[in-house]
Amino acid sequence: CSSDLLTVELLSLQDDVGSTFPAQAQIGVGAIFHAAALTDNGSVLLSGGYGRIEDAEPAGALPQNPSASVEMWSVENGSLVRSCTDNLAEGRGFHTATTVGRRAVFVGGHGPSGQPLATAEVAVLALGATCFAQPAQTQMMSDPRSSHAVAKIESSGEILIVGGRRRESGTDFGQSLSTAEIFSPKREP
């Protein structure tokens, strides 16, 4: 029974020298199966996920109710500070987030229907109360996928997307994907 599971919705800062957690803050994105990416300025971008384990892993059904929320967090004077919030075009869980310069790329995952998405959302990061300079733009991928891996190719700014799973039928997610694709977001300085 999922009632035995506890969802923790705190962001913690770890001090590697003293091995302590001196700061905590309440996050507004889904607390489980969300994505995190480190930005060039050292902030952490959090996106999507699920607020309840029952939504992420419902018995005999597809995932439901992924968050579309995006937040950027930074450390100021030893405290965690939410520097901005925004929203994706659609909720995502079991997805990845990567930054390339001032662009954030949110790849695949399960969407509101519970099905793996064949889209990536790309947004230019902003400085201010909102995280995006303009709404995220949706771009198509070759395959729908969730629970995949990504790697940023530093020399070109491209993103390698590898493996994952795609839905075959019902709640059976079928075969693992043995494909890879390169995603090339337009670079921002």
Side-chain angles (χ1 to χ4, degrees), residues 135-174:
Q137 300 296 307
T138 302
Q139 297 183 14
M140 295 302 296
M141 300 188 306
S142 298
D143 290 307
R145 61 180 79 225
S146 67
S147 304
H148 52 277
V150 297
K152 180 170 55 173
I153 303 168
E154 293 292 338
S155 62
S156 66
E158 295 172 310
I159 299 170
L160 174 64
I161 306 166
V162 181
R165 299 189 67 77
R166 68 172 168 206
R167 180 177 177 265
E168 294 292 328
S169 63
T171 57
D172 174 16
F173 290 97

Side-chain angles (χ1 to χ4, degrees), residues 82-176:
R82 181 184 298 124
S83 52
C84 65
T85 60
D86 221 307
N87 288 296
L88 298 170
E90 61 185 331
R92 294 172 184 268
F94 299 95
H95 64 296
T96 57
T98 307
T99 58
V100 179
R102 287 189 46 225
R103 292 203 180 266
V105 183
F106 308 93
V107 176
H110 291 279
S113 71
Q115 306 247 6
L117 298 168
T119 59
E121 292 187 48
V122 181
V124 176
L125 297 174
L127 301 173
T130 61
C131 295
F132 303 153
Q134 56 198 15
Q137 300 296 307
T138 302
Q139 297 183 14
M140 295 302 296
M141 300 188 306
S142 298
D143 290 307
R145 61 180 79 225
S146 67
S147 304
H148 52 277
V150 297
K152 180 170 55 173
I153 303 168
E154 293 292 338
S155 62
S156 66
E158 295 172 310
I159 299 170
L160 174 64
I161 306 166
V162 181
R165 299 189 67 77
R166 68 172 168 206
R167 180 177 177 265
E168 294 292 328
S169 63
T171 57
D172 174 16
F173 290 97
Q175 300 173 353
S176 296

Side-chain angles (χ1 to χ4, degrees), residues 1-5 53-54:
C1 177
S2 61
S3 64
D4 295 335
L5 299 175
I53 193 71
E54 294 86 358

Side-chain angles (χ1 to χ4, degrees), residues 17-88:
V17 176
S19 297
T20 62
F21 295 90
Q24 291 186 343
Q26 190 78 24
I27 61 173
V29 300
I32 51 178
F33 303 115
H34 58 271
L38 186 63
T39 66
D40 287 347
N41 71 2
S43 295
V44 176
L45 190 66
L46 299 177
S47 63
Y50 301 89
R52 303 173 337 128
I53 193 71
E54 294 86 358
D55 288 340
E57 297 177 340
L62 296 171
Q64 57 192 8
N65 304 319
S67 173
S69 295
V70 175
E71 298 178 338
M72 192 174 313
W73 290 83
S74 58
V75 178
E76 295 178 14
N77 300 320
S79 296
L80 289 166
V81 177
R82 181 184 298 124
S83 52
C84 65
T85 60
D86 221 307
N87 288 296
L88 298 170

